[in-house]
Amino acid sequence: MDHQQFRRIFDELDKDCIKEHPPLPQYTSATLQKLQVVFSHYYITVLGNLVALGNVMCICTILVLNSEKSTAERDNYVLEV
């Protein structure tokens, strides 16, 4: 592989990625269109992220509280729920 081929391959691989969301599918059903508008809203994404953050914080709190107990004393019922 000579210099020109290497440079051409490197330039092709070094291109910046264009980060665009694909277009939303268009549904013919009015119900599906309304659901798509509701669930594609930004606040639904924020709400999902808050729920995930709450889950992580709850799990971390339970793990910290259980870290002081011996294995026999641990009750994993809370984690199972």
Side-chain angles (χ1 to χ4, degrees):
M1 179 183 302
D2 64 350
H3 181 292
Q4 293 298 331
Q5 288 175 334
F6 177 78
R7 176 51 82 190
R8 201 171 338 122
I9 292 172
F10 183 79
D11 289 340
E12 190 67 31
L13 293 175
D14 194 42
K15 288 183 180 177
D16 291 333
C17 294
I18 300 172
K19 295 184 179 181
E20 294 179 6
H21 291 286
L24 294 174
Q26 298 299 320
Y27 297 108
T28 56
S29 170
T31 305
L32 289 177
Q33 287 176 351
K34 289 178 184 176
L35 285 174
Q36 183 180 26
V37 168
V38 168
F39 286 110
S40 64
H41 198 273
Y42 175 73
Y43 289 136
I44 297 294
T45 303
V46 172
L47 178 66
N49 289 339
L50 287 174
V51 169
L53 179 65
N55 287 337
V56 169
M57 292 185 67
C58 288
I59 291 171
C60 289
T61 302
I62 292 170
L63 290 175
V64 167
L65 292 174
N66 279 342
S67 68
E68 298 171 356
K69 298 179 183 178
S70 68
T71 307
E73 294 175 336
R74 289 185 188 159
D75 180 18
N76 290 330
Y77 177 74
V78 177
L79 284 176
E80 292 172 2
V81 170

